[in-house]
Amino acid sequence: MSVQAEGTFYVQGIGLRPKIQVSTDGSGVVGHAGARLLADLADATGLTASYSAALRPLRPRGTGHGPGRIAADLAVMLADGGEAIADLVVLRDQADVFGSVASTPTAWRLLADVDERALASLRSARASAREVAWLQAAENGEGLPAARAAGRVLPGLVLDLDATLVTCHSEKEQAAPTYKGGFGFHPLLCFLANTGEAMSGRLRPGNAGANTATDHITVLDEALAQIPDAHRHGTDILVRTDSAGSAKAFLAHVRALRKRGIRTSFSVGYAITEPVRRAIRAIPDHLWHPALNQDGTLRDGAGVAELTGIVDLDGYPAGTRIIVRRERPHPCAQLSLFDQDEGLRHQVFLTDTPHSGGGSARFLETRHRGHACVEDHIRCGKTTGFGRFPSRGFAVNAVWLELSLTAIDLLAWMRVLLLDGELAAAEPKKLRYRLLHVAARLTRGGRRLRLRISATWPWRNELATAFHRLAALPRPAS
C-alpha cells in the first residue's frame, strides 16, 4: 500500500513474521491431541469393548495387541483424517497420549484376517455402541436432532441411500469400469439424515448396477439393524433415494417391513418416461403450485404438481403418489431433451405418504429434495476413509469401508454428545483443523497426566468443554 505525502510516495511496511530457529530437542509436546477425544469416545460408547468381543476369536492366545483395540484405533485414525494404514504412526508415536498402538504390519494382518463372519460381528458391535450413544444423548436431555423440511420438523428418522464412484487402480480385486468412463468401485451407502451417522454400506464392483433392488434391500436392512430396538419399532422411518431406488421390488420391501412392526415409508426419485412427459404437458397451469425452500419460504421460479391418477403406477405399493417439480434451470444444469424443449428442468418422485397429516405435494417435494444432503455425507465420507482403499484384496477393502463408517459415526457422536453451536454442525475438515489436530503440552504432576492446550488457541474452550462432557457421560455396564 502506498501513501502520498508532499509529492513523495512511501511504501507502508508489511509486518514480517518473527524469525525462528528450528531444533528437534523438544519434549512434552504432542500433535493431534484432540484426537484423544475420539479415542475416549470409542471407549465411552462401548465401541472398543464391543469390537474386542467381536474379534476375540482372532486372538486365540490372548497375546499381543487386542484386535478390537486395533480396529478402534484404525477408526480413530480415519476420523482424524488418515488415508492409509501407515497413518497409524501418528497415534503410535505418541504413546503417552494414545497408549500402545499396533504397528502397520499388525494392522494389515488384522484386516486380512477378518472374514465375512467377523465383518458381521463388527457391524453388530457398532450397532451396540450406537445404542449406547443414543442413550447417552437421551440422558443429556438433548436426544437425537430432528431432520427438517420446509421449516417443519420431520417426525422420526430419515434414511438416505445413494451410491458413489470411487476411482481405484485396475489391479484391485473387483475394480471395474464405471458408467462414467472411470475405473474402480461403486459402493452403495446409507446415512441417517438426523445426525449424519453412516448406518450401512456395501462395497461393490465399479460396474455394479445403480438401480439394483437386491443391493438396496441389503443396505436398507443392514441400516435398520443398526437402529436400536426402541427406535426401530414404533418410530416413523422415512427411506429416501434417487431414481435408482424406484425399483418395484425395493419399494415392495419397504412396504412389507410394516408387517414386522417397522413403520417405514418411502420417497424415491422416478425416471421421466414418455407417459410422464405426456402427463406433465397435460397439467393445466392452475394446478401448478409454488414450490418451497427448506426454510418454508416460496422458491422463486419453481412449481409443484401432482401426477397421481394421470400416470399408471400399476405394480407399485397401494397408495403410491407421483409428484413433479419444474424450475427454471440454473446456468450449469444438465437438461434432457424434454427439459430443453419445455425450457424448464423437471424432477419426479414417488412417495407413499398420504394427503392426511399434512402430506401436501409442496411439502413432500421439499422433503424429498432434502435427500441431496446425502451428497455432502458422501463427500465428507470420502475424506474419512472410503475415498481410498488400501488393498488389492476385495475382502480387506470391505473391512476398510466398515471401519470408515465407524469413523464417520465417531465424528457424528462427537457433534451430538460433546459439541455446541457451529461446531455441532461442522463438517470433518473443520473439526480436524479446529479441534482434532491441535497441539498441546503433556505434563505430569500429582500422579496425573495433563494435556495443556495453548492459551491462545481460538477453540481451546470448546475442546476443553468437550473433554469435560465426555468425562461426565454415563458409561455402559461392563
Side-chain angles (χ1 to χ4, degrees), residues 5-340:
E6 297 181 358
T8 304
F9 284 88
Y10 298 94
V11 177
Q12 182 172 321
I14 299 176
L16 299 177
R17 297 184 180 89
K19 293 183 179 181
I20 60 172
Q21 291 184 340
V22 179
S23 66
T24 60
D25 56 355
S27 62
V29 180
V30 294
H32 293 245
R36 172 62 188 262
L37 191 68
L38 296 173
D40 287 351
L41 185 58
D43 295 342
T45 57
L47 177 69
T48 306
S50 295
Y51 267 5
S52 297
L55 299 179
R56 186 173 292 116
L58 301 183
R59 191 188 185 189
R61 293 182 300 274
T63 59
H65 292 275
R69 171 65 186 277
I70 298 173
D73 285 342
L74 283 169
V76 170
M77 178 268 292
L78 290 171
D80 192 45
E83 296 183 331
I85 298 174
D87 290 336
L88 266 177
V89 67
V90 173
L91 308 184
R92 184 169 58 251
D93 286 354
Q94 301 186 101
D96 286 342
V97 178
F98 296 103
S100 178
V101 176
S103 66
T104 299
T106 300
W108 265 108
R109 286 193 295 271
L110 171 67
L111 294 178
D113 288 344
V114 175
D115 55 15
E116 279 295 328
R117 178 178 295 182
L119 183 57
S121 297
L122 284 177
R123 295 189 182 111
S124 297
R126 189 159 63 96
S128 298
R130 189 184 319 281
E131 183 174 17
V132 172
W134 288 18
L135 286 172
Q136 289 169 334
E139 284 285 335
N140 286 345
E142 298 292 335
L144 296 181
R148 304 181 68 89
R152 292 164 52 181
V153 170
L154 297 181
L157 306 175
V158 180
L159 297 176
D160 286 307
L161 280 74
D162 200 9
T164 188
L165 299 176
V166 179
T167 300
C168 292
H169 194 277
S170 59
E171 292 183 356
K172 294 184 184 292
E173 184 183 4
Q174 296 195 40
T178 68
Y179 68 93
K180 287 192 175 181
F183 203 94
F185 296 125
H186 192 192
L188 180 62
L189 304 145
C190 179
F191 291 87
L192 181 66
N194 303 64
T195 60
E197 290 168 86
M199 306 303 287
S200 62
R202 180 68 55 167
L203 189 62
R204 307 183 302 167
N207 57 2
N211 58 348
T212 305
T214 302
D215 290 343
H216 277 77
I217 291 172
T218 299
V219 170
L220 175 59
D221 285 350
E222 290 179 352
L224 292 172
Q226 286 289 318
I227 299 175
D229 288 343
H231 294 265
R232 185 167 60 249
H233 299 280
T235 301
D236 292 334
I237 301 176
L238 175 66
V239 180
R240 297 189 298 201
T241 76
D242 57 15
S243 58
S246 62
K248 295 178 181 178
F250 175 63
L251 299 185
H253 179 74
V254 174
R255 175 61 63 85
L257 289 168
R258 298 181 185 180
K259 298 179 181 178
R260 293 159 45 188
I262 303 175
R263 289 161 35 181
T264 47
S265 59
F266 60 80
S267 180
V268 301
Y270 190 71
I272 301 180
T273 60
E274 184 56 36
V276 173
R277 295 189 189 100
R278 290 196 300 266
I280 292 173
R281 288 193 175 106
I283 299 175
D285 286 340
H286 71 274
L287 293 182
W288 288 94
H289 304 285
L292 301 174
N293 291 310
Q294 291 299 331
D295 61 1
T297 59
L298 294 180
R299 187 175 179 87
D300 184 43
V304 178
E306 184 137 7
L307 301 176
T308 307
I310 306 175
V311 177
D312 182 16
L313 295 178
D314 184 46
Y316 285 94
T320 298
R321 300 165 64 185
I322 179 168
I323 297 169
V324 59
R325 173 171 64 94
R326 68 179 183 183
E327 186 171 20
R328 289 197 302 267
H330 58 78
C332 298
Q334 295 182 354
L335 304 178
S336 66
L337 293 176
F338 173 69
D339 290 338
Q340 293 176 16

Side-chain angles (χ1 to χ4, degrees), residues 458-478:
W459 300 280
R460 61 192 181 279
N461 293 327
E462 287 84 348
L463 183 55
T465 299
F467 272 106
H468 294 324
R469 288 179 176 175
L470 178 62
L473 287 179
R475 295 305 200 264
S478 57

Side-chain angles (χ1 to χ4, degrees), residues 34 37-38 41 137 140 142-143 145 195 408-436 453 457 459-471 473:
L37 191 68
L38 296 173
L41 185 58
N140 286 345
E142 298 292 335
T195 60
I408 295 168
D409 282 349
L410 285 174
L411 291 171
W413 298 339
M414 180 175 73
R415 288 191 295 262
V416 171
L417 296 172
L418 309 179
L419 301 178
D420 287 322
E422 179 187 9
L423 291 178
E427 292 189 351
K429 180 179 178 180
K430 181 178 289 187
L431 294 176
R432 290 165 187 149
Y433 272 71
R434 295 188 177 186
L435 300 182
L436 303 182
I453 306 164
W457 187 248
W459 300 280
R460 61 192 181 279
N461 293 327
E462 287 84 348
L463 183 55
T465 299
F467 272 106
H468 294 324
R469 288 179 176 175
L470 178 62
L473 287 179

